[in-house]
Amino acid sequence: MGVTHSRAVLWGLGAAGVVLGTTAAVLKAADGSHPVPDVVLTTSAGALFVAAGLFAAVRVRANPCGPLMVLVGLALFAEDLQLSQDPVVFTAGLLVAHVSTPLVLHLVLAFPDGRLEGRAPRALVAATYIAAVVLPAVGTPFVDWAGRFPAKPDNLLLIVDAPGFTTGLLWTMNACGLVIAAGVLVALLRRWRARPALRPVLVMALAGAACSAVAAAIEPTYAVAIAAYKVAFCLWPLTFTLGIVRTAPRAADLTNLLLALRGEVDLRELLARTLHDRSLRLGEWDPVTRTWQFRDENGELVTSAPGERTVTLAWSENGPIAAVLRRDTTWDDPRVLEAAGTVVRLVTEHQRKLDADRARLAEARRTGVRLVELADAERQRVERDLHDGAQQRLVVVALGLRMAQQRLDTRGDPELAELLASTADGLDAAIVELRDLARGIHPVALTQGGLVPAVTALIERTPLPVELASPTLPRFLPPVEATAYFVVAEAITNALKHSGATSVTVTLDLDADRLHIRVCDNGIGVLNGSGSGIAGLADRVRALEGHLRVEGNSGVGTAVHATIPVGDPLCAT
């Protein structure tokens, strides 16, 4: 996590900028070798780096780029100390004569989050500090500036004047500079696509480099090209500041983040967009392995890549509940992390409650389905017991009575024969009624043929004109078929008993994963569906996550509508 810059440090850096800037401007003006426009432009460049760096440090406190920009400005001022005629100040200026170069490179390679990612950028920056700071410091005791240049003050660190050594050292510095420049070019080309925020900075740097090259190659344009180079260099810190501020989350972004939670959201996409970090990924804590589990867009487990870090955003009583694996750290601010963590905690806790509620609802639905299945199984058992038990025994008794009747007819006892015949007829009627009762409890046609054959058989037994409109339907799960059948049977029964209807229309239709049942009659119209039969069927339909309603208008007729899901896995046995 980045270190928040204190106000005292920022005030101290600002004061140092004012002192060094004023000193550098006075030294350049007193030197006499620098034109006034040059003094103005170079001083403005250092001042803009200091001011822009302080602004960025205040706006994005956890980003090291702000203080690094201030150091670049201070270094530009400090390099002019070598123009002083005071031996102490002059000697100090010799030690920092090229210190702005590694700081600028450090800023470019660390932009926009202020961190050097990977070994190559760190090696390049370290090599530049050595070439631009350490090597000149090593050569300073071996150059007699006062002896070579009479207008210069004494070098207080002078040991011996060694032109050969310093020339070799200069060649070494130039060779290191070429190698470093090649490495920096490769690094910047790689970062061009990965870091869009860096492009304005690079464009401004390229513009300055182009102006410098034109000035060196075309002598007549030297003055104009150098002036354009210095103007571009003055504008450079502004591009750094704009990039830092643009990539940092704003209060409005976090407000939008909270407002977006009102609907269905992709939390990763929402955080990535708000925090300006497209590489952001969310992870879940695995309490078994005690590690973070990150998944890609396809749901496959992935591991962290070099330069990526894991930051815990939210915690619960059982430990961390969310984390981020990402490269960019422009939003690595305690306040931003706290706000993002609050959002993550709200979303994850809300999602967990929703999952728990859904699980409870699913279990309630499964319980309802099991009750429907148990009731149907009990109906089937009773139907089999009646068919295989009581009905068969009554058939045997009826056959016995018929045989007894035939024997009495041959023996001439007409009264007893008539009594037996009457008893046998009554027994046959009881068998028919028992068979109808068993069929009503759970029709065999429903189990063997499905919904449409069972409804067709029901219509054929109904003493009322009934029209069936139904396409060819597939077989459904037993609870669905049984519930749909009994809705039709109950609606037809109500039409016969209560409405005085002369005709009934039954419509079965399958729409996507829902079965629609509609039974309409032309009777007097039942104004409510509060009867025990309809109420019980409504409970059965609701247990299957469907709904049933009864519509009745006086003189128009009654319509029973039912909708039952047929593709819900909760209905599976």
Side-chain angles (χ1 to χ4, degrees):
M1 182 180 294
V3 179
T4 302
H5 320 303
S6 67
R7 291 184 177 271
V9 172
L10 296 180
W11 278 106
L13 290 174
V18 172
V19 173
L20 279 176
T22 303
T23 302
V26 171
L27 290 175
K28 275 195 171 184
D31 182 66
S33 61
H34 297 81
V36 174
D38 178 69
V39 174
V40 172
L41 286 175
T42 54
T43 304
S44 298
L48 284 173
F49 265 107
V50 173
L54 291 174
F55 176 77
V58 172
R59 286 294 302 272
V60 190
R61 294 189 177 184
N63 194 325
C65 279
L68 197 54
M69 291 172 63
V70 176
L71 292 178
V72 170
L74 296 179
L76 290 172
F77 292 143
E79 290 177 348
D80 291 332
L81 295 178
Q82 60 185 313
L83 300 176
S84 175
Q85 293 299 313
D86 182 84
V88 176
V89 178
F90 171 74
T91 303
L94 294 177
L95 294 176
V96 294
H98 308 285
V99 72
S100 66
T101 301
L103 287 171
V104 169
L105 179 61
H106 189 167
L107 176 62
V108 172
L109 293 183
F111 184 81
D113 53 53
R115 291 180 175 84
L116 296 171
E117 298 176 358
R119 296 180 180 178
R122 295 190 186 102
L124 287 173
V125 171
T128 307
Y129 277 109
I130 293 173
V133 178
V134 177
L135 293 183
V138 171
T140 297
F142 303 99
V143 179
D144 184 5
W145 288 91
R148 297 185 189 184
F149 308 97
K152 295 291 184 180
D154 292 332
N155 177 7
L156 299 182
L157 296 178
L158 178 64
I159 298 176
V160 63
D161 189 29
F165 174 74
T166 54
T167 300
L169 193 63
L170 181 61
W171 277 97
T172 302
M173 292 171 57
N174 290 335
C176 291
L178 291 175
V179 174
I180 291 171
V184 170
L185 181 60
V186 173
L188 293 180
L189 289 176
R190 291 180 176 177
R191 287 163 61 85
W192 177 270
R193 293 182 60 186
R195 294 291 181 89
L198 187 62
R199 294 173 187 173
V201 174
L202 295 181
V203 169
M204 189 62 67
L206 291 174
C211 293
S212 179
V214 169
I218 307 174
E219 186 174 353
T221 64
Y222 179 81
V224 176
I226 285 297
Y229 161 74
K230 292 180 178 179
V231 170
F233 193 77
C234 287
L235 296 177
W236 207 19
L238 301 180
T239 61
F240 279 108
T241 304
L242 290 175
I244 294 172
V245 174
R246 185 175 64 85
T247 56
R250 301 181 296 273
D253 294 325
L254 298 177
T255 302
N256 294 334
L257 182 64
L258 292 172
L259 292 176
L261 298 179
R262 293 179 298 179
E264 293 291 332
V265 296
D266 180 345
L267 184 58
R268 192 216 68 81
E269 175 65 24
L270 184 62
L271 287 174
R273 185 173 63 252
T274 302
L275 301 176
H276 306 288
D277 184 357
R278 305 307 301 179
S279 63
L280 180 149
R281 281 180 284 168
L282 289 177
E284 296 180 353
W285 179 256
D286 186 351
V288 178
T289 61
R290 300 192 63 79
T291 58
W292 290 106
Q293 300 291 328
F294 295 95
R295 299 184 181 274
D296 59 16
E297 295 178 353
N298 299 321
E300 300 293 333
L301 287 174
V302 295
T303 56
S304 60
E308 293 182 325
R309 300 188 301 129
T310 302
V311 177
T312 301
L313 286 182
W315 290 76
S316 67
E317 296 180 354
N318 299 324
I321 59 175
V324 173
L325 184 69
R326 82 281 190 265
R327 297 178 183 274
D328 290 337
T329 55
T330 55
W331 53 274
D332 200 357
D333 184 298
R335 296 169 301 174
V336 176
L337 287 176
E338 183 178 359
T342 299
V343 172
V344 171
R345 184 166 54 252
L346 288 173
V347 172
T348 52
E349 290 297 337
H350 179 63
Q351 188 61 45
R352 288 186 179 184
K353 290 180 180 179
L354 283 179
D355 292 342
D357 292 341
R358 289 168 180 166
R360 286 192 292 268
L361 180 59
E363 180 59 30
R365 291 170 180 167
R366 283 191 290 267
T367 300
V369 171
R370 285 194 293 268
L371 292 175
V372 171
E373 291 174 341
L374 289 173
D376 289 339
E378 183 63 18
R379 283 172 174 269
Q380 288 179 298
R381 186 190 65 78
V382 172
E383 188 273 334
R384 286 194 301 270
D385 289 347
L386 291 175
H387 181 274
D388 299 336
Q391 182 178 327
Q392 295 301 324
R393 287 193 293 271
L394 289 175
V395 169
V396 172
V397 173
L399 289 175
L401 290 175
R402 294 295 182 188
M403 292 175 62
Q405 176 193 357
Q406 293 174 359
R407 291 184 180 182
L408 286 174
D409 286 340
T410 59
R411 297 181 180 179
D413 191 344
E415 293 183 1
L416 183 56
E418 183 180 354
L419 178 60
L420 290 175
S422 176
T423 303
D425 291 340
L427 193 55
D428 288 340
I431 293 173
V432 172
E433 291 179 359
L434 184 60
R435 186 180 296 116
D436 291 340
L437 176 62
R439 189 181 293 114
I441 292 175
H442 194 89
V444 177
L446 183 63
T447 303
Q448 296 179 347
L451 179 60
V452 174
V455 171
T456 301
L458 173 65
I459 291 173
E460 291 174 351
R461 299 193 306 270
T462 301
L464 189 69
V466 180
E467 179 183 354
L468 174 62
S470 172
T472 301
L473 298 177
R475 292 300 302 267
F476 304 120
L477 296 172
V480 174
E481 291 186 336
T483 301
Y485 174 84
F486 288 120
V487 167
V488 175
E490 182 65 25
I492 292 177
T493 300
N494 286 342
L496 288 171
K497 291 182 177 180
H498 307 297
S499 71
T502 59
S503 65
V504 178
T505 301
V506 177
T507 304
L508 304 176
D509 186 32
L510 182 63
D511 179 17
D513 61 345
R514 292 183 174 272
L515 176 63
H516 299 277
I517 304 103
R518 180 182 175 90
V519 182
C520 303
D521 63 52
N522 62 350
I524 59 173
V526 178
L527 299 181
N528 61 72
S530 59
S532 60
I534 290 293
L537 284 174
D539 292 339
R540 284 184 61 114
V541 172
R542 279 194 296 270
L544 299 179
E545 203 179 348
H547 61 272
L548 182 146
R549 72 178 187 276
V550 178
E551 298 176 355
N553 294 315
S554 180
V556 177
T558 305
V560 178
H561 305 262
T563 301
I564 305 173
V566 297
D568 193 337
L570 295 176
C571 296
T573 55

